[in-house]
Amino acid sequence: MAPITPWQRPLIAAALLLGLGTAVQAQSTVPSKPRGEGPRLTEAQRLKVFPETRTLAAQDHRARIAILQQGERCISAATNGDGLRNCMRQERDALQNQRQQHRNALRQMFVRNGIPVPDWSQRKRGPSPRPAGGGYGWDRPGQPTEPLPLL
């Protein structure tokens, strides 16, 4: 690693401060509206399902880690673009399948405990809404009047 020159220190410090400030801001931001509009669990229901929820969450994490590790091995072994694309497709499909299995396990747990099952199909799909006036870029609101040059 090359030594840091005196003129690089202020740049590095500024970058760290900006990064830390963004991280702190992201942690302190409280959503204005709770996720999902489904029924909320009572304290008794939360206590009742917590051990099983924790177990399911740990199993889900282990399964996703295994999928990512398999994807990493596949990517490392890929010899061309088609092989890489195939690896990425397999990983994406496996992660989607894992999410569905996790939702099914949660659904079964809710039913076993007599808790209404959340309606996960109500999730908003597609791009997130942009702020009013937001358009083509952070410094250029609205649509461009001329095509962007290709680099």
Side-chain angles (χ1 to χ4, degrees):
M1 184 173 182
I4 298 173
T5 61
W7 64 270
Q8 289 175 323
R9 286 188 180 132
L11 295 174
I12 293 171
L16 286 172
L17 285 174
L18 286 173
L20 291 174
T22 304
V24 169
Q25 182 182 10
Q27 288 178 351
S28 63
T29 304
V30 177
S32 59
K33 188 175 178 184
R35 289 184 71 185
E37 296 298 324
R40 299 285 171 229
L41 299 180
T42 64
E43 188 62 30
Q45 289 172 325
R46 263 190 241 119
L47 290 173
K48 184 177 181 183
V49 298
F50 172 73
E52 193 171 357
T53 305
R54 181 178 53 198
T55 301
L56 288 174
Q59 290 171 351
D60 181 54
H61 276 74
R62 283 191 296 272
R64 285 188 289 146
I65 289 168
I67 291 167
L68 292 172
Q69 288 172 338
Q70 173 59 35
E72 185 177 26
R73 286 190 296 273
C74 183
I75 289 169
S76 295
T79 58
N80 58 32
D82 290 336
L84 180 63
R85 191 175 312 112
N86 187 36
C87 291
M88 301 299 281
R89 185 177 298 123
Q90 287 175 356
E91 183 177 317
R92 183 184 63 238
D93 292 345
L95 286 169
Q96 287 174 350
N97 185 36
Q98 176 57 33
R99 271 193 303 275
Q100 187 59 44
Q101 288 178 5
H102 183 66
R103 274 190 229 111
N104 289 340
L106 285 172
R107 189 175 287 116
Q108 291 170 3
M109 180 200 58
F110 286 139
V111 168
R112 259 194 321 274
N113 289 293
I115 298 171
V117 178
D119 186 9
W120 289 304
S121 67
Q122 294 298 322
R123 265 187 56 218
K124 184 188 272 188
R125 304 233 187 257
S128 61
R130 294 183 178 183
Y136 184 65
W138 68 271
D139 61 341
R140 291 172 286 197
Q143 294 297 319
T145 56
E146 58 189 49
L148 293 175
L150 297 175
L151 300 177

